[in-house]
Amino acid sequence: MAEHTVKAFDTEIGQLRGLIAEMGGIAEVMIRDAVDALANHDEALGLEVIETDARLDALEAEVDRLAVRVIALRAPMADDLRDVIAALKISGVVERIGDYAKNIAKRVTEMEHSKKLGPLTLVPAMADIAQGMVRDVLNAYGARDADLAVEVIKRDEKLDNFYDSLFRNLVAHMMESPSTISSAAHLLFVARNLERIGDHATNVAEMVYFAATGLYYSEREGGKKDI
Amino acid sequence: MAEHTVKAFDTEIGQLRGLIAEMGGIAEVMIRDAVDALANHDEALGLEVIETDARLDALEAEVDRLAVRVIALRAPMADDLRDVIAALKISGVVERIGDYAKNIAKRVTEMEHSKKLGPLTLVPAMADIAQGMVRDVLNAYGARDADLAVEVIKRDEKLDNFYDSLFRNLVAHMMESPSTISSAAHLLFVARNLERIGDHATNVAEMVYFAATGLYYSEREGGKKDI
């Protein structure tokens, strides 16, 4: 590519990364607000999260449009092309993370007995882990930091264990207090959504690892095949 | 593009479409087998579904590689580029549909009381709708058939209603038979996974609609904005 084209490409890749960072920031706030809305039964905050999701959809569409334009105009090769494709994929994942947060927010109005549910007190700590994974994986993406990406991947196990323990906790709670079964069922989905957010952050972390090192995470030295 | 390049592009786009059709076929079988495994408590069949998911991952990686190669070598413009990007996105969605089927299959071993659960008998009918949506939306993609895509989108409401009714049914069941709560909780997730498969088929249908008509589904004449 000619000098001025290279500069234009760098500017555009910078724009793509900026849009994704913005999406990540919004998704993080959505996770925190959704869980706060649930913990405090704050329907107005829940509604705000639901409405914010449209902003994430619009940003994803903007990433798509810009990525297609960059490919069409600059015809990037090899690493540069992979960078643009990664932006396309990561924006899609962040948009889905927002969907999970929206899904949590939607349950605020459905959980009338929420304040009585003991296991609800565990959810904010679980959300902290998920939110931290989203924040750090997008920092790792911005800085092409493979070590931070690996760190995020390892944290997913902690989140999975949290989910398993919350699942058992909720089932036990349902057996003891059948009147809270409906609310507890909603809380099961909330826990599941947080666990899925961690899975998606892990997927992004694996993409970041690959982009930074050229190796698949499962193929790294000392690593084992993750299924 | 020169004549021979055009032909090469058509061949490659055909390959992309072929790979996606193959992925769709596998995802369909996974949905049916996962639900059959659950209904008949067939652990071997469940394991088969779990193992098949790796094939879907491999095909998605193949779509990615081929799409990147097509973009790099042929530098397609406008509609052709959009076609390649659509292939990238749709393969990602079909892979996630496979994840949901795998998730259902994983619950076969965890639901020991499955045969006693009345609401389980409703799951195969719900799975039929989800499976039909996946089949038809991929046919719509292959044939660029906007009408069939609209038909798939409309069917999603039926699936959502099915899910809502199954949710209420399962919660009522939990209250009546606390000993089945753990299995019923797993079944809640199964229903939710089927509902999400429908959402993903709907997303693909909207992409197909856009590709075939140049209009967003929500902007169509007589249509309303779907939130």
Side-chain angles (χ1 to χ4, degrees):
Chain A
M1 288 193 269
E3 175 82 9
H4 70 97
T5 315
V6 172
K7 271 191 194 148
F9 179 79
D10 286 346
T11 307
E12 287 156 351
I13 266 284
Q15 282 172 348
L16 281 173
R17 289 178 168 269
L19 287 169
I20 288 172
E22 189 180 347
M23 290 181 75
I26 293 171
E28 257 189 77
V29 173
M30 286 175 73
I31 298 169
R32 199 197 52 216
D33 285 354
V35 169
D36 282 353
L38 206 67
N40 306 316
H41 201 80
D42 183 341
E43 298 196 3
L45 185 59
L47 201 63
E48 208 177 285
V49 173
I50 293 167
E51 283 166 0
T52 304
D53 190 53
R55 176 89 192 106
L56 226 44
D57 292 345
L59 281 168
E60 189 198 7
E62 209 175 321
V63 169
D64 282 6
R65 270 195 301 273
L66 181 56
V68 168
R69 224 183 103 232
V70 171
I71 295 171
L73 292 182
R74 315 285 169 218
M77 305 287 281
D79 284 358
D80 288 342
L81 178 57
R82 244 180 290 275
D83 242 20
V84 181
I85 301 285
L88 270 175
K89 296 216 151 202
I90 292 175
S91 73
V93 177
V94 177
E95 190 274 329
R96 283 202 298 289
I97 289 176
D99 274 351
Y100 287 112
K102 181 168 91 168
N103 198 280
I104 293 173
K106 276 186 183 170
R107 296 183 190 273
V108 175
T109 52
E110 301 185 48
M111 287 182 59
E112 11 171 10
H113 296 294
S114 61
K115 279 177 186 159
K116 296 184 197 160
L117 277 183
L120 180 58
T121 57
L122 297 171
V123 170
M126 190 178 173
D128 277 349
I129 303 176
Q131 192 194 339
M133 286 175 74
V134 172
R135 183 188 58 237
D136 289 345
V137 81
L138 285 162
N139 286 341
Y141 169 66
R144 300 169 185 242
D145 183 339
D147 292 338
L148 185 53
V150 170
E151 213 258 284
V152 170
I153 294 169
K154 289 188 173 155
R155 244 183 285 165
D156 194 41
E157 202 184 316
K158 209 169 145 189
L159 198 62
D160 287 347
N161 290 339
F162 216 126
Y163 168 72
D164 288 341
S165 123
L166 199 54
F167 183 93
R168 282 193 298 270
N169 204 315
L170 279 165
V171 168
H173 190 88
M174 286 168 157
M175 290 182 181
E176 282 163 25
S177 326
S179 69
T180 63
I181 282 180
S182 172
S183 286
H186 284 297
L187 213 48
L188 271 182
F189 285 115
V190 169
R192 176 74 182 160
N193 284 332
L194 291 172
E195 189 265 338
R196 289 296 290 167
I197 287 173
D199 285 349
H200 281 86
T202 301
N203 285 349
V204 175
E206 288 174 351
M207 292 181 212
V208 171
Y209 184 87
F210 179 73
T213 65
L215 293 170
Y216 287 105
Y217 177 71
S218 57
E219 294 168 347
R220 76 196 184 287
E221 207 172 330
K224 57 171 181 56
K225 186 88 192 149
D226 305 292
I227 298 167
Chain B
M1 288 193 270
E3 175 82 11
H4 69 98
T5 314
V6 172
K7 270 191 195 148
F9 178 80
D10 287 346
T11 307
E12 286 156 351
I13 265 284
Q15 281 172 347
L16 281 174
R17 290 179 169 270
L19 287 169
I20 288 172
E22 188 181 348
M23 289 181 75
I26 293 172
E28 256 189 79
V29 173
M30 284 175 73
I31 297 168
R32 198 196 54 215
D33 285 353
V35 170
D36 281 354
L38 207 67
N40 305 317
H41 201 79
D42 183 340
E43 299 197 3
L45 186 57
L47 201 63
E48 208 177 286
V49 173
I50 293 167
E51 283 165 0
T52 304
D53 190 52
R55 176 88 191 106
L56 225 43
D57 292 345
L59 280 167
E60 189 198 7
E62 209 176 322
V63 169
D64 282 6
R65 270 194 301 272
L66 181 56
V68 168
R69 222 182 104 232
V70 171
I71 294 172
L73 292 182
R74 314 285 169 219
M77 306 287 281
D79 283 358
D80 288 342
L81 178 57
R82 245 181 289 276
D83 241 22
V84 179
I85 301 285
L88 270 174
K89 297 216 150 202
I90 292 175
S91 73
V93 177
V94 178
E95 189 274 329
R96 283 202 297 290
I97 289 175
D99 274 352
Y100 288 112
K102 180 168 90 168
N103 197 280
I104 293 172
K106 276 185 182 171
R107 296 182 190 274
V108 175
T109 51
E110 302 186 46
M111 288 182 60
E112 11 170 11
H113 297 294
S114 62
K115 280 177 187 161
K116 297 184 197 161
L117 277 183
L120 180 58
T121 56
L122 297 171
V123 170
M126 190 178 174
D128 276 349
I129 303 176
Q131 191 194 339
M133 286 175 75
V134 172
R135 182 188 59 238
D136 289 345
V137 81
L138 285 162
N139 286 341
Y141 169 67
R144 299 169 185 242
D145 183 339
D147 292 338
L148 184 54
V150 169
E151 213 258 284
V152 170
I153 293 169
K154 289 188 173 154
R155 244 183 285 166
D156 194 41
E157 202 184 316
K158 209 169 144 191
L159 198 60
D160 287 347
N161 292 339
F162 217 127
Y163 168 71
D164 288 340
S165 124
L166 198 53
F167 183 92
R168 283 192 300 269
N169 204 316
L170 278 166
V171 167
H173 191 87
M174 286 168 157
M175 291 182 181
E176 282 162 27
S177 327
S179 69
T180 62
I181 282 180
S182 171
S183 286
H186 284 297
L187 212 49
L188 271 182
F189 285 115
V190 169
R192 177 74 182 159
N193 284 333
L194 291 171
E195 190 265 340
R196 291 295 290 165
I197 288 173
D199 285 349
H200 281 87
T202 300
N203 285 349
V204 175
E206 287 175 353
M207 292 180 211
V208 171
Y209 184 86
F210 179 74
T213 65
L215 292 171
Y216 288 105
Y217 177 72
S218 57
E219 295 168 347
R220 77 197 182 285
E221 209 173 327
K224 58 170 180 56
K225 186 87 192 149
D226 303 292
I227 299 167

